[in-house]
């Protein structure tokens, strides 16, 4: 914490001019405009985080085998193991496309500065949402290893919590953005695929909130506090999901990754899709299963293309890193003795797991 006592500041230390502004709030937003650069820059960190979770999850799940000593198989064969890894992999590719689009828009000075600020807020909200979900999903499937800071995931998760708050707390940003859109001050760039599931979801949520705000006396009323604020972040995330979809389609992201991302986004608000898009529970599950079946054979290639292995320090990803890690531990010796009573057989890779390993 930095504090000052009786320090005479030069005129140049002040942000903005000494003139009393006509509007204090607008003036504050003007002089702190560079915070928005921080909002978007911090959001960008979520991409390498997601790529790291996909890489750690894949490598660990290929290395960790179960079964009898003569019949050992990698845990990657289980759909329960594949699901969070495939999900964060799809999110990483989608967010890469969103990142390019969002930065392009943000740098376009022809756009209203409030819209550019809104894009930064939406971008950060979805980046944080997907990376935190990806971290929990993958680290939980690494068993006890997922808990250790030296396996990177819990440390990155905590760092991302700080990012969610710094340079604009996501909830605060969401409340402001949604309120200002609802009272008609400005609008976000519209979808280029307005009939897509995610665009319809975004439009549907907005319609509900618009109906609510039209029925209340003022945008600062207690009804807004109770009825709009709790939905603001989900509304912003829905905008981000749609923007990610549009950006990924335009950037030519592999269709199976887009399909998996959409299936995962549907799971975030399944009742809406059941009520409004004729997508019942079974149809939602089928969408996800089909998309995962298509992404799985590509997993090794997708992880290799992420190219983050040089930055992975988690010792669970390879025998070499694990041996070095074990070798670095303090040794306590005793006299205990156990007879070896089993021969260990070779690891048996299922075709799916072998496909991932051979492309990694
Ligand atoms: C990693 C990190 C780095 C930081 N770096 C800096 C730095 O370099 N310089 C600096 O000055 N500050 C820095 N900060 C501080 C940061 O700006 C504040 O933490 C942030 O603005 C949130 O304020 P707060 O922590 O006081 O939380 P609070 O504002 O007390 O928030 C507490 C809770 O109240 C909610 N809340 C607050 N206001 C509203 C509202 N109007 N409506 C509804 N809910 C609301 C929040 O969403 C949150 O859930 C950093 C913070 C972090 C985590």
């Amino acid at each position: 914490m930095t504090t000052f006592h009786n320090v005479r500041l030069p005129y140049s230390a002040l942000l903005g001019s000494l003139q009393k502004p006509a509007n204090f709030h607008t003036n504050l937003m003007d002089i702190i405009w560079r915070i928005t650069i921080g909002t978007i820059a911090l959001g960008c960190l979520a991409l390498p985080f997601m790529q790291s979770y996909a890489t750690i999850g894949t490598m660990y799940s290929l290395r960790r085998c179960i079964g009898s000593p003569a019949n050992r198989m990698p845990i990657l064969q289980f759909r329960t193991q594949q699901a969070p890894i495939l999900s964060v992999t799809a999110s990483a590719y989608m967010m890469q496309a969103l990142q390019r689009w969002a930065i392009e828009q943000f740098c376009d000075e022809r756009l209203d500065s409030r819209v550019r600020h809104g894009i930064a807020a939406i971008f950060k909200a979805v980046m944080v949402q997907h990376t935190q979900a990806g971290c929990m999903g993958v680290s939980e499937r690494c068993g006890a290893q997922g808990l250790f800071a030296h396996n990177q995931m819990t440390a990155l998760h905590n760092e991302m919590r700080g990012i969610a708050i710094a340079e604009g707390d996501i909830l605060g940003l969401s409340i402001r953005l949604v309120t200002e859109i609802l009272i008609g001050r400005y609008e976000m760039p519209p979808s280029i695929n307005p009939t897509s599931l995610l665009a319809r979801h975004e439009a549907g949520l907005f319609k509900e909130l618009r109906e609510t705000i039209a029925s209340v006396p003022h945008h600062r009323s207690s009804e807004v506090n109770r009825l709009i604020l709790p939905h603001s972040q989900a509304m912003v995330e829905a905008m981000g999901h749609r923007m990610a979809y549009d950006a990924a389609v335009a950037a030519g992201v592999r269709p199976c990754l887009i399909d998996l991302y959409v299936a995962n986004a549907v799971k975030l608000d399944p009742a809406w899709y059941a009520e409004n898009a004729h997508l019942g529970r079974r149809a939602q599950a089928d969408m996800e299963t089909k998309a995962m079946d298509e992404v799985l054979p590509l997993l090794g290639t997708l992880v290799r293309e992420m190219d983050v292995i040089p930055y992975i320090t988690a010792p669970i990803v390879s025998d070499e890193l694990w041996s070095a890690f074990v070798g670095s531990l303090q040794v306590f010796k005793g006299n205990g003795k156990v007879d070896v009573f089993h021969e260990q057989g070779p690891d048996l890779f299922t075709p799916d797991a072998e496909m991932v390993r051979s492309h990694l």
Side-chain angles (χ1 to χ4, degrees), residues 57 81 160 190 201 353:
Q81 204 70 23
M160 191 49 63
H201 177 243

Side-chain angles (χ1 to χ4, degrees), residues 288-342:
E288 187 192 16
T289 303
K290 182 171 175 294
M292 282 197 285
D293 289 345
E294 287 175 20
V295 177
L296 182 61
L298 302 175
L299 182 61
T301 305
L302 294 168
V303 167
R304 185 167 38 77
E305 285 177 6
M306 288 175 184
D307 202 18
V308 296
I309 293 176
Y311 306 96
I312 302 297
T313 54
I316 52 169
V317 298
S318 70
D319 292 346
E320 295 73 37
L321 284 179
W322 184 253
S323 301
F325 172 70
V326 173
S328 73
L329 299 176
Q330 189 180 355
V331 178
F332 298 89
K333 285 189 176 166
N335 304 323
K337 210 170 120 188
V338 195
D339 292 332
V340 175
F341 49 86
H342 279 308

Side-chain angles (χ1 to χ4, degrees), residues 45-91:
L45 276 173
L47 180 57
F49 283 22
M50 280 184 269
Q51 293 170 328
S52 300
Y53 303 140
T55 305
I56 294 169
T58 303
M59 293 177 78
Y60 177 67
S61 302
L62 282 170
R63 196 173 148 257
R64 166 87 170 99
C65 291
I66 50 104
S68 66
N71 188 14
R72 289 162 55 78
M73 280 176 281
I75 55 173
L76 190 66
Q77 70 174 316
F78 296 116
R79 182 47 60 102
T80 43
Q81 204 70 23
Q82 296 162 2
I85 298 170
L86 295 173
S87 166
V88 75
T89 299
S91 294

Side-chain angles (χ1 to χ4, degrees), residues 42 159 161-172 175 225 229:
L42 284 186
E159 194 171 330
R161 285 190 63 185
I163 288 172
I165 299 164
E167 309 291 342
D169 172 64
I170 290 174
L171 178 60
I175 290 172
N225 182 29
L229 263 53

